[in-house]
Amino acid sequence: MVNENPFKSILKTLEKPGGEFGKYYSLPDLNDPRIDRLPYSIKILLESAIRNCDEFQVKSNDVEKIIDWENTAPKLVEIPFKPARVLLQDFTGVPAVVDLACMRDAMNNLGGDSNKINPLVPVDLVIDHSVQVDVARSENAVQANMELEFQRNKERFAFLKWGSNAFQNMLVVPPGSGIVHQVNLEYLGRVVFNTNGLLYPDSVVGTDSHTTMIDGLGVAGWGVGGIEAEAAMLGQPMSMVLPGVVGFKLSGKLRDGVTATDLVLTVTQMLRKHGVVGKFVEFYGEGMSELSLADRATIANMSPEYGATMGFFPVDHVTLQYLKLTGRSDETISMIESYLRANRMFVDYSEPQIERMYSSYLALNLEDVEPCISGPKRPHDRVPLREMKADWHACLDNRVGFKGFAIPKESQSKVAEFSFRGTPAQLRHGDVVIAAITSCTNTSNPSVMLGAALVAKKACELGLEVKPWIKTSLAPGSGVVTKYLEKSGLQKYLNQLGFHIVGYGCTTCIGNSGDIDEAVASAITENDLVAAAVLSGNRNFEGRVHPLTRANYLASPPLVVAYALAGTVGIDFETEPIGVGKDGKKIFFRDIWPSNDEVAQVVHSSVLPDMFKATYQAITKGNPMWNQLSVPSGTLYAWDSKSTYIHEPPYFKSMTMSPPGPHGVKDAYCLLNFGDSITTDHISPAGSIHKDSPAARYLMERGVDRRDFNSYGSRRGNDEVMARGTFANIRLVNKLSGGEVGPKTIHISTGEKLSVFDVAMRYKSEGRDTVILAGAEYGSGSSRDWAAKGPMLLGVKAVIAKSFERIHRSNLVGMGIIPLCFKPGEDAETLGLTGHECYSIDLPSNVSEIRPGQDVTVVTDNGKSFTCTLRFDTEVELAYFDHGGILQYAIRNLIHTNH
């Protein structure tokens, strides 16, 4: 349904000396005074709505809602948003490419041109997610870890390589290139697109929560689930609540010795306290000129930790300087500046600023920020460095909780004696066993990376060493970091302290720490020690970093080096020495800490534009291991029925050109009966594959050894494994099982208690549909595509809940599952439903007779009848339902468009 854009009258030409850059939709030409007062981040949503307005997916009324943001945002109105591009990493990229490959097959079977199935918006897929630190403190760590990574993931990598050749509009960045968010910042971020002569702002949704890092470059971006990303890829709008925007005013400048990490931990704590969930945060004020782009990206990166959808920094002169530094062409930078100035989306601090409207306001004088770390269990539990020793001892005393370990007083000074490679060694509570310079948050920032290297240099010159049992590692976010560390001559000092480069990608921060030495592990477990990890990451939730480090602290890269040297988190850096130097002299923190001027000089002389150009010219060429992967050349994928990683899902089996139309539900059994707050972690397959699970059984039947199970994440491209892992969470509480905790349910007609998968398959073989009963906030937590794909594959036709998490509800719709809400004040219990009934839901067979949000009657086989609200919320969602799901809708749409 393609209609003429009602805003074509404001399509203007952007001139340049001797020609034109292209056409653009001019916001000033709307002559609406409300637009100038809008936050910059909301203007990006507005431009997208105007450019994509077709009166079906995006309506004039949606444009008006955004222009009237000041009045509409408090009412939580929904708007459609079409991002300019999609960013995938390998774990989520695999199922997306599997679905595209399936769509090609379906198109081919329907007699259409299968080569027409391509992403409709640019897709950037960066393979970055599986660097296990198996080998550390070694000159050849990078090569060794890369070889292991390729052994584990060869099949997935080969499939993605096939996809990079088979599909247009998809760029695949090979493994070993860097962390997706840093590659996005330094190379992929367009800031302004010029597509066939039409200019518009870059915006991106990515399948990783830290996609927000790109907000530091003035590109609107945030994390979404796999189904939303696939929908965006296929040109479908995302439904989102028009967000409130918190204005965060910065003034002053950071004091000497204070890092960007100290700043981001301070901002995170302030914003968590303020409450910014579901909101944008927009930074402004004279302090902005004192913040480098890398510092801005560090703050933007941690949006998920402070709870905001975005932490946005509008484009200004600092942004343009960074684009020049990272090798973007002068012509491109000139186009970006001209377009943003013409559309009043550029901030020029040399001009008087228009007072913008924000939903609420915060302010921070950068001079008030002090050195700090965060922990031991949450990113927003900030501890000033000067209070760290006292805070650590309080944590040992406190009862078990976010700030407590409940270690009895008499055990707190316990010393565990052990032998490390033949040498006597000791461990105490709070001793550091992992020190990692890692993660997308900090490894893109030259000031903290070179700051860490300067700490290492001073420490080495004074004769300090890191204890050999501490697992130290350095995982740069891109090859550029290696180039400037080498140019500065400082990498050798990091190596001397054991911070050898282990690989380019996410490591310790996502739990890819690898093993710690067996002797160290035994000393910790046998003596019940609270061992510590210090990492320059963004998440330190319990159990995430390593099972044996109960205390995990987030710190700047230079502080990671300092704590590795000290060997304990229970130290007062002001008064206690870090160690003893080569001449027997006590060395203090102040002796090894560089000044801001020292750091700035090294950054200025070592970080050069040519490094970015050289790194990214080589990026698409890949590395020898990638280039040696042999892949089929066809545009249709040759599915291997024996593969346990990549499998053709049954989404399009027996699909015809005609939409199947809406389906009701007749005499369906209840598969699961839940209470409140069932999260996507309960529903979706995640983590390791349990040895007694249906997924384990499937793999073992196919000859996969238990040690090669890998994780559910790595097998996301195999629907057989993922369907078996759906509702396989060991903490699942299902009322049908009599309150017993675990992934079991009852087969109603026989009363047998079996795994959820086995019961679902039995119902399918009997030709019976199933439904799920649930309480409030069904599907809360991170958005996960398999939390909707899995239930669909199990045969679930409807979910009846008190309320749904917003994105999960839209994902269910995308997979053809009916979301229904009990009426206010009602739920399964008040209606006397046990889940042992059969359920029928009557819906008209013609989609034109269904309205978004209408009432629907549910009838049970024991005579009960109750009314629910049908949670198809838009006409577009009804169209998806009519077609059997979003993927089927997209295929038929493409066939009609091409005819």
Side-chain angles (χ1 to χ4, degrees), residues 256-257 385 454-455 458-459 462 464 559 562 571-579 585-595 598:
D256 203 38
L385 212 53
L454 284 169
V455 170
K458 288 171 188 274
L462 291 165
L464 293 180
L559 276 176
I571 181 174
D572 181 345
F573 280 143
E574 296 270 313
T575 60
E576 296 177 277
I578 271 187
K585 196 169 133 227
K586 288 178 179 173
I587 309 295
F588 287 84
F589 180 79
R590 56 185 169 269
D591 301 325
I592 60 168
W593 200 254
S595 70
E598 281 178 90

Side-chain angles (χ1 to χ4, degrees), residues 650-651 669 671-672 683 685 694 719-728 732 745 755-765 768-772 778 786-797 817:
Y651 307 145
Y669 280 118
L671 182 64
L672 295 149
I683 307 167
D719 60 287
E720 295 278 6
V721 174
M722 299 304 274
R724 285 164 172 78
T726 302
F727 298 115
L732 201 68
T745 194
S755 74
V756 177
F757 175 79
D758 289 339
V759 171
M761 290 306 102
R762 195 177 283 191
Y763 285 140
K764 269 191 144 181
S765 69
R768 299 296 288 260
D769 292 341
T770 53
V771 299
I772 289 171
Y778 181 75
W786 278 104
K789 286 178 174 175
M792 184 273 286
L793 291 172
L794 295 183
V796 174
K797 299 298 182 198
I817 295 174

Side-chain angles (χ1 to χ4, degrees), residues 272 374-382 402 540-541 552 554:
R272 285 289 296 212
S374 272
K377 302 182 189 183
R378 294 191 301 186
H380 52 282
D381 289 334
R382 188 179 68 89
F402 293 122
N540 54 343
F541 304 119
N552 301 283
L554 306 181

Side-chain angles (χ1 to χ4, degrees), residues 61-82:
N61 179 36
D62 297 315
V63 172
E64 172 54 28
K65 281 182 199 167
I66 302 171
I67 292 175
D68 199 32
W69 170 84
E70 201 174 320
N71 298 310
T72 52
K75 296 175 187 160
L76 304 177
V77 301
E78 291 220 3
I79 58 155
F81 174 58
K82 286 189 160 190

Side-chain angles (χ1 to χ4, degrees), residues 81 106 199 245 268 270 273 298 328 375 382 455 476 482 487 506 665 784 829 831:
F81 174 58
L199 306 175
V245 184
T268 298
M270 285 176 72
K273 194 172 164 195
T298 300
R328 272 80 162 197
R382 188 179 68 89
V455 170
T482 307
K487 171 92 171 71
C506 294
V665 174
R784 301 189 193 281
E829 273 181 19
L831 293 166

